[in-house]
């Protein structure tokens, strides 16, 4: 009888541990086990690139992956170097640079009195840009961070949303900022201050929706023309129609969540805006 009690207790404890460790993080475990090849890709370089010499070794081994551009770096007393350019002529996919452009546009609008940093933003306004299953933990933690800095759980200062966009690389916050400053203001800022061949930043939620709609989540050869058509439509609706929601738009595609492998996502990023350093 004791052995059965022991087995019952053991099974109960095992079930609790499984629920706490695996059950609550099932999507993470699923991602790891279904993308082992992608996670292993380039892993041999991780520890080596902690040092500057290791980073140089990586650049030497993979010159096609890296561009470096440093210009007019100097202190008040000692001029270190004037220019350092490597692979600067290559066009690269634009990621975080888009957030920097949004940040600069926002600052420009506030300085010129066209926008108030104290404008209140509802949590609903941010949530409508969230694409289900895309970085859900980061999204939840970003909303919690906003709530911790606000007296309200449902409204936040625009300036705080911008800070979360920068500090957390939170894509729904970036899309919210994009919708508030407006596409025209971003374009005017880039025309006046951005030099080089740099595309307009992407609306992240429109990007992920267009990837699904153009078939790039089911195979690696989704149509680029289809992607652009869908992206333009989703971007227009998300930026101009305050009632549009990424969740509803995703369900309209007969999909409940944006889910694809690392390799599919890596391939999809080729559709993002481009920039030449």
């Amino acid at each position: 009888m004791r052995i059965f009690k022991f087995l019952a207790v053991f099974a109960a404890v095992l079930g609790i541990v499984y629920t706490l460790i695996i059950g609550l993080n099932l999507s993470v475990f699923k991602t790891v086990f279904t993308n082992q090849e992608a996670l292993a890709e380039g892993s041999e370089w991780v520890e080596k690139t902690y040092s500057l010499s290791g980073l140089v070794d990586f650049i030497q081994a993979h010159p096609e992956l890296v561009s470096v551009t440093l210009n007019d770096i100097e202190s008040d007393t000692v001029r270190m170097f004037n220019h350092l350019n490597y692979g600067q002529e290559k066009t690269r996919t634009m990621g975080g640079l888009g957030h920097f452009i949004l940040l600069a546009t926002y600052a420009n609008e506030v300085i010129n009195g066209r926008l108030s940093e104290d404008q209140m933003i509802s949590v609903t306004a941010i949530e409508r840009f969230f694409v289900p299953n895309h970085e859900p933990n980061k999204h939840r933690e970003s909303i919690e961070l906003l709530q911790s800095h606000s007296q309200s759980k449902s409204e936040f200062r625009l300036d705080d949303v911008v800070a979360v966009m920068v500090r957390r690389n939170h894509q729904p916050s970036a899309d919210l900022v994009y919708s508030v400053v407006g596409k025209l203001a971003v374009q005017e800022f880039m025309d006046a201050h951005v030099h080089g061949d740099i595309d307009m930043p992407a609306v992240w939620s429109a990007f992920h929706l267009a990837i699904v709609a153009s078939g790039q989540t089911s195979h690696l050869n989704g149509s680029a023309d289809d992607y652009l058509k869908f992206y333009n439509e989703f971007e227009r609706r998300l930026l101009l129609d305050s009632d549009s929601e990424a969740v509803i738009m995703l369900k309209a595609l007969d999909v409940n969540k944006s889910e694809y492998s690392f390799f599919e996502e890596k391939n999809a990023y080729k559709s993002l805006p481009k920039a030449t350093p």
Side-chain angles (χ1 to χ4, degrees), residues 63 73 75 222 267:
I73 305 299
S75 67
N267 184 73

Side-chain angles (χ1 to χ4, degrees), residues 9-10 14 25 52 63 94 107 129 134 166 179 183 222 236 270:
V9 172
F10 178 79
L14 182 63
N25 298 282
L52 184 58
M94 185 169 70
F129 293 105
H134 183 72
V166 175
S179 70
K183 189 173 182 178
R236 183 189 64 79
K270 296 177 182 178

Side-chain angles (χ1 to χ4, degrees), residues 90-223:
K90 293 185 179 295
T91 299
R92 304 291 185 185
T93 297
M94 185 169 70
L97 178 61
H99 289 186
F100 177 78
I101 293 173
L102 291 176
L103 172 64
T105 303
Y106 160 75
N108 187 61
E109 293 297 289
V110 171
I111 290 172
N112 287 286
R114 292 187 290 267
L115 203 60
S116 170
E117 58 195 87
D118 293 320
Q119 177 179 335
M120 298 306 293
I121 303 297
S122 70
V123 67
T124 304
I126 300 174
E127 290 285 2
R128 75 183 187 88
F129 293 105
F130 174 64
V131 179
N133 206 53
H134 183 72
E135 299 184 332
N137 292 335
K138 177 185 286 189
H139 176 63
R140 185 191 70 253
E141 292 167 359
S142 297
I143 295 298
E144 290 174 351
L145 181 61
L146 283 168
Q147 291 173 335
S148 70
H149 286 80
S150 175
Q151 295 180 346
S152 169
K153 297 294 185 182
S154 59
E155 283 192 323
F156 322 113
R157 292 174 64 246
L158 175 59
D159 202 58
D160 290 335
V161 178
V162 173
V164 167
M165 173 188 75
V166 175
R167 292 170 57 188
R168 298 279 304 166
N169 194 33
H170 185 223
Q171 294 181 2
S173 289
D175 288 353
L176 183 282
V177 173
Y178 210 148
S179 70
V180 171
V181 300
K183 189 173 182 178
L184 180 60
V186 176
Q187 183 66 70
E188 290 177 346
F189 176 84
M190 292 184 66
D191 290 342
H193 302 287
V194 176
H195 305 289
D197 188 10
I198 300 178
D199 294 339
M200 287 278 287
V203 175
W204 286 105
S205 48
F207 162 73
H208 291 295
L209 290 169
I211 290 300
V212 174
S214 60
Q216 295 189 52
T217 57
S218 56
H219 55 84
L220 296 179
N221 297 309
S223 168

Side-chain angles (χ1 to χ4, degrees), residues 5-113:
K5 288 183 178 180
F6 172 79
L7 291 175
V9 172
F10 178 79
V13 172
L14 182 63
I16 293 173
V17 172
Y18 178 88
T19 301
L20 292 176
I21 298 178
I22 298 180
L24 297 179
N25 298 282
L26 185 60
S27 61
V28 176
F29 279 89
K30 182 179 178 182
T31 298
V32 171
F33 284 107
T34 57
N35 294 279
Q36 294 184 54
E37 184 181 357
L39 289 171
E41 184 182 38
S43 59
E44 70 275 10
W45 285 100
V46 174
E47 292 188 4
K48 297 178 182 178
T49 52
Y50 288 160
S51 67
L52 184 58
S53 62
L55 181 60
V56 172
D57 290 340
F58 174 81
I59 295 174
Q60 186 176 17
H62 302 281
E64 74 283 359
L65 299 179
V66 180
S67 292
V68 178
T69 300
L70 297 174
N71 295 315
D72 298 324
I73 305 299
E74 58 182 334
S75 67
D76 293 336
T77 57
V78 180
R79 190 176 185 85
M80 297 172 63
F81 49 79
N82 189 29
H83 300 287
L84 174 61
N85 295 312
Y86 177 82
Q88 73 276 13
E89 74 286 349
K90 293 185 179 295
T91 299
R92 304 291 185 185
T93 297
M94 185 169 70
L97 178 61
H99 289 186
F100 177 78
I101 293 173
L102 291 176
L103 172 64
T105 303
Y106 160 75
N108 187 61
E109 293 297 289
V110 171
I111 290 172
N112 287 286

